[in-house]
Amino acid sequence: MERREEQSGAAGAGAAPALDFTVENVEKALHQLYYDPNIENKNLAQKWLMQAQVSPQAWHFSWQLLQPDKVPEIQYFGASALHIKISRYWSDIPTDQYESLKAQLFTQITRFASGSKIVLTRLCVALASLALSMMPDAWPCAVADMVRLFQAEDSPVDGQGRCLALLELLTVLPEEFQTSRLPQYRKGLVRASLAVECGAVFPLLEQLLQQPSSPSCVRQKVLKCFSSWVQLEVPLQDCEALIQAAFTALQDSELFDSSVEAIVNAISQPDAQRYVNTLLKLIPLVLGLQEQLRQAVQNGDMETSHGICRIAVALGENHSRALLDQVEHWQSFLALVNMIMFCTGIPGHYPVNETTSSLTLTFWYTLQDDILSFEAEKQAVYQQVYRPVYFQLVDVLLHKAQFPSDEEYGFWSSDEKEQFRIYRVDISDTLMYVYEMLGAELLSNLYDKLGRVLTSSEEPYSWQHTEALLYGFQSIAETIDVNYSDVVPGLIGLIPRISISNVQLADTVMFTIGALSEWLADHPVMINSVLPLVLHALGNPELSVSSVSTLKKICRECKYDLPPYAANIVAVSQDVLMKQIHKTSQCMWLMQALGFLLSALQVEEILKNLHSLISPYIQQLEKLAEETPNPSNKLAIVHILGLLSNLFTTLDVSHHEDDHEGPELRKLPVPQGPNPVGDIVFAIATSRMRMSFLLPNSMGPSQVGGSGGGAPHFSLCLQVVVVLQQVFQLIQKVLSKWLNDAQVVEAVCAIFEKSVKTLLDDFAPMVPQLCEMLGRMYSTIPQASALDLTRQLVHIFAHEPAHFPPIEALFLLVTSVTLTLFQQGPRDHPDIVDSFMQLLAQALKRKPDLFLCERLDVKAVFQCAVLALKFPEAPTVKASCGFFTELLPRCGEVESVGKVVQEDGRMLLIAVLEAIGGQASRSLMDCFADILFALNKHCFSLLSMWIKEALQPPGFPSARLSPEQKDTFSQQILRERMNKRRVKEMVKEFTLLCRGLHGTDYTADY
């Protein structure tokens, strides 16, 4: 192998000097890898060994490591190194050394046929890789030669050893083909060659499998070999004899697993559906396993029942359409369907007593889809046959979904309970899908069963049965529109009759009510039948998720019908919140539910309930604001701020505009500068509203400010603003002690972000205060949440002259702080950079005047945005691209922008070209194409000069590009100034050339 070493130097790109890769050093490194307790030493050894495997010296030490005196771990490494050299560096091997390499591998495999099995397998994989590289031209009959060589009688190895070694080689050959790195055109040639070579493999496998004298280990290896070869899409009819032999082998417990795998792989080949006659022959073979299946179920043999079920499902699921088309054989296919039904309803609880039933669920989807895909006449015939089957399936699934007894369930592990929960979700999805076939009759069927269960006086019913029927209703109602069902009113009437003595049953009752919330919105008279159940359940911590989510759904869907029940809902909710019955996330959901509820009330009721709801929290927050900061009161502060934030998320007061208000009273002026009159008006107005908020509940807002019907009635939005102003003062007090805590600051930002979204323009009176507070927060601890809130303020208020000064001051401050962050190193803060870029883009879109201020360093902003284009985080890069697509069109109208683009635009172009050249993900190419399009449209003369200069250096932006390809790209880009879609296509094409992927199957759908 001397010449091979000389010519394979390019393959050994290891970092260590060549002389280091000696047999002795490799053995030392392997000893370190396996036995050194120090993890760092192990990692270093592994890295060095990986370099050794690809070095030119690997051709020498690999063979020496395979010597008989070496331990299996060292021999295994030698065999692995040979495989890596052959599979990855085939082009480095001289053609005149193919035969000697082949002979050496055969010799080693023969020697290890009676040695270490893991080393034998690795050597077989190496020879398989060599065979695939040589086929079909350099080694046209590779498989036949392998069979012939191992059948030679003059071998020193015994017959069984040679047979097992040959079978191992034949098994790994198709597997190596599936994972090989062969070019696509070579793969097609080799696949065709292997298909021909089946003729040398299958007769041998049949002979060994049917030969009575074949030992069990040989027959097992035969089945594994067959399983490997059928994945090369061998015609099913060519596999008939072996499949039948595999069915026979199912009776042998030692061969059972291998037989199942072989049969399933053979049946599941996509091409198998073409061979309908062979498929029809397989149905009796599968049906013949029913007795073995029943015996296995009876004896609790889960492995056997699981394997037989896999076979039945593989035949039914992969070929239901082909078998349904054989109308004259409908009875045999129906028998197969019934066998699969037996597997679905296999006795016992999943996953403790059985793990088989879950395998069958996708079959029922497939069968239904195939039936419904027929033309109307044929579909009607099959519906007549299979509708009863699907009604039976519903009964089976609901039985399987039943919980075990409380005592038995108590012994289940948490993992088993989680698997059962997922299994029930899968059943739920199946029931929802089956509704498409069975329609409204399915709901009637479920309702009749539930009615009989709840009204029967003859026999007591189990809670599990009731729960499963309700679960069926819930499964369908969650995704299907049941508003026109005539059984839902009866169901709503039955629910209060259910004797709830179990948490699982109570949970399902809650979720069923939640699933029917849209129906309740259309039939509000029925709300009173179920709402008391939900409110009662709120007090049970075990029903936390189901009760709170159900109340939230009802409050969202039925809010305009809930005013009569509002006082009770608020009282119960407030009680459970004060008692801290629920976890944090459920408390947040509950506040969202109350936000929906309050939105639909009259103004006076909203204010009364709002006062009742948040006063205790304001008082608690006041107390916490006085305390010395510690972890426990921090959690309490964050919790309260979260509650308020979630309340404002869903509190929609925008539609509560009083018809009697004058437009001049709907928006209060924002006090600006030394304006005593304005200050007095603002103070009087806000004090009136503050009074109306703080007055006893008996006094409505209309009574504040005077008597008589003509008294001003201030808008609800402004009164909510007053509530916020009270909270604001408290928050400032909290921040005076917690300004350095990121979690508290984020919670504060969340409140005002939700409030701004809810109140929109009516938030105006608080803009100056909020801008000042945001500035302080961001200066202390820069956070993405503060930038996001600033962006909201810019979006809503920056265009109004009255609000521009505080917003401009805030914008300049956060920009200055962020630029300082860039100087210190922004890589640890991709979220801040992302939010900052979005803020800049919003400012340009909504109020470009923000970029006119002399105090704004536009050049520094531009350079930071170019730097952000090189971040590895895709959202940050997208946001940066969005900033440039907003900035470039402003070149003409904003002088500072035009100047910086002229000075630093070339830097931007180079960053974009580097990204397209391979430094950025291909999924981001459309974003970079947008920048190129904007440059071409708004800076054409500059771009035409920059792009030629930028592409001139050799190897930029990729060493794979020729000067002609770069020139073509620049001309194409400069020509296209109107069609953005065409520019995106050009960039996609160019990035594939840069990455060496153009024309490959890897990018076929790109």
Side-chain angles (χ1 to χ4, degrees), residues 667-718:
K667 290 185 184 177
L668 290 177
V670 181
Q672 293 182 25
N675 183 355
V677 177
D679 289 350
I680 292 168
V681 171
F682 182 76
I684 292 171
T686 53
S687 65
R688 282 184 170 185
M689 287 188 290
R690 197 171 283 119
M691 285 171 62
S692 73
F693 179 71
L694 297 174
L695 280 175
N697 293 341
S698 58
M699 295 184 67
S702 58
Q703 294 172 267
V704 179
S707 57
H713 189 145
F714 292 100
S715 82
L716 173 61
C717 286
L718 291 178

Side-chain angles (χ1 to χ4, degrees), residues 577 583-595 614 617 620-621 624 633-650 727 731 734 743-755:
L577 285 168
K583 292 181 180 176
T584 299
S585 54
Q586 278 72 57
C587 291
M588 302 306 158
W589 293 356
L590 193 50
M591 282 304 239
Q592 288 179 24
L594 294 172
I614 72 171
Y617 294 112
Q620 198 176 344
L621 202 58
L624 290 166
N633 59 26
K634 170 189 165 177
L635 287 175
I637 288 169
V638 171
H639 180 74
I640 292 171
L641 294 176
L643 291 175
L644 297 175
S645 172
N646 278 275
L647 177 64
F648 288 122
T649 299
T650 54
V727 174
I731 286 174
V734 168
Q743 202 175 349
V744 173
V745 168
E746 191 169 347
V748 168
C749 289
I751 283 188
F752 291 106
E753 188 180 1
K754 303 291 169 48
S755 306

Side-chain angles (χ1 to χ4, degrees), residues 429-702:
D429 292 342
T430 309
L431 290 170
M432 178 270 293
Y433 205 75
V434 166
Y435 181 85
E436 186 183 353
M437 187 165 185
L438 302 181
E441 193 178 343
L442 172 57
L443 288 176
S444 300
N445 186 285
L446 291 174
Y447 174 69
D448 291 342
K449 284 185 170 65
L450 184 63
R452 284 197 296 273
V453 164
L454 294 178
T455 57
S456 173
S457 56
E458 296 177 7
E459 53 182 285
Y461 63 90
S462 68
W463 70 262
Q464 288 95 337
H465 193 183
T466 306
E467 190 277 336
L469 289 168
L470 275 177
Y471 187 68
F473 263 111
Q474 174 204 327
S475 303
I476 296 163
E478 274 181 338
T479 48
I480 306 294
D481 183 5
V482 295
N483 282 3
Y484 302 102
S485 170
D486 55 359
V487 303
V488 176
L491 173 64
I492 294 288
L494 283 175
I495 285 176
R497 301 185 58 166
I498 297 172
S499 175
I500 302 174
S501 56
N502 179 278
V503 171
Q504 286 85 15
L505 175 58
D507 258 335
T508 303
V509 168
M510 288 299 107
F511 284 127
T512 304
I513 295 170
L516 295 171
S517 56
E518 288 186 30
W519 184 91
L520 289 169
D522 291 335
H523 306 82
V525 71
M526 304 297 288
I527 292 174
N528 195 40
S529 301
V530 292
L531 186 59
L533 289 173
V534 178
L535 295 179
H536 179 72
L538 278 181
N540 187 343
E542 292 184 294
L543 304 177
S544 183
V545 173
S546 60
S547 61
V548 174
S549 66
T550 296
L551 181 63
K552 181 181 170 183
K553 285 181 181 178
I554 291 174
C555 289
R556 183 183 65 219
E557 302 298 335
C558 313
K559 61 183 177 183
Y560 296 112
D561 302 299
L562 291 181
Y565 316 103
N568 196 18
I569 294 172
V570 171
V572 172
S573 301
Q574 216 170 342
D575 183 55
V576 298
L577 285 168
M578 287 295 109
K579 289 178 180 176
Q580 298 182 347
I581 287 174
H582 303 295
K583 292 181 180 176
T584 299
S585 54
Q586 278 72 57
C587 291
M588 302 306 158
W589 293 356
L590 193 50
M591 282 304 239
Q592 288 179 24
L594 294 172
F596 285 125
L597 174 69
L598 296 186
S599 301
L601 302 182
Q602 294 298 314
V603 172
E604 290 81 359
E605 288 297 310
I606 292 178
L607 292 172
K608 182 177 76 173
N609 284 297
L610 201 56
H611 178 249
S612 168
L613 260 177
I614 72 171
S615 286
Y617 294 112
I618 289 178
Q619 291 165 13
Q620 198 176 344
L621 202 58
E622 282 177 338
K623 184 181 173 187
L624 290 166
E626 299 292 340
E627 294 178 3
T628 305
N630 64 66
S632 63
N633 59 26
K634 170 189 165 177
L635 287 175
I637 288 169
V638 171
H639 180 74
I640 292 171
L641 294 176
L643 291 175
L644 297 175
S645 172
N646 278 275
L647 177 64
F648 288 122
T649 299
T650 54
L651 180 61
D652 178 14
V653 295
S654 57
H655 58 284
H656 283 284
E657 287 295 334
D658 190 359
D659 294 336
H660 300 291
E661 288 181 359
E664 70 281 357
L665 290 175
R666 291 190 180 169
K667 290 185 184 177
L668 290 177
V670 181
Q672 293 182 25
N675 183 355
V677 177
D679 289 350
I680 292 168
V681 171
F682 182 76
I684 292 171
T686 53
S687 65
R688 282 184 170 185
M689 287 188 290
R690 197 171 283 119
M691 285 171 62
S692 73
F693 179 71
L694 297 174
L695 280 175
N697 293 341
S698 58
M699 295 184 67
S702 58

Side-chain angles (χ1 to χ4, degrees), residues 70 149 215 281 437 555 576 597 696 718 760 762 875 897 974 980:
K70 307 295 183 187
L149 282 166
K281 291 177 188 176
M437 187 165 185
C555 289
V576 298
L597 174 69
L718 291 178
L760 299 175
D762 292 292
V897 170
L974 292 171
K980 189 186 287 188

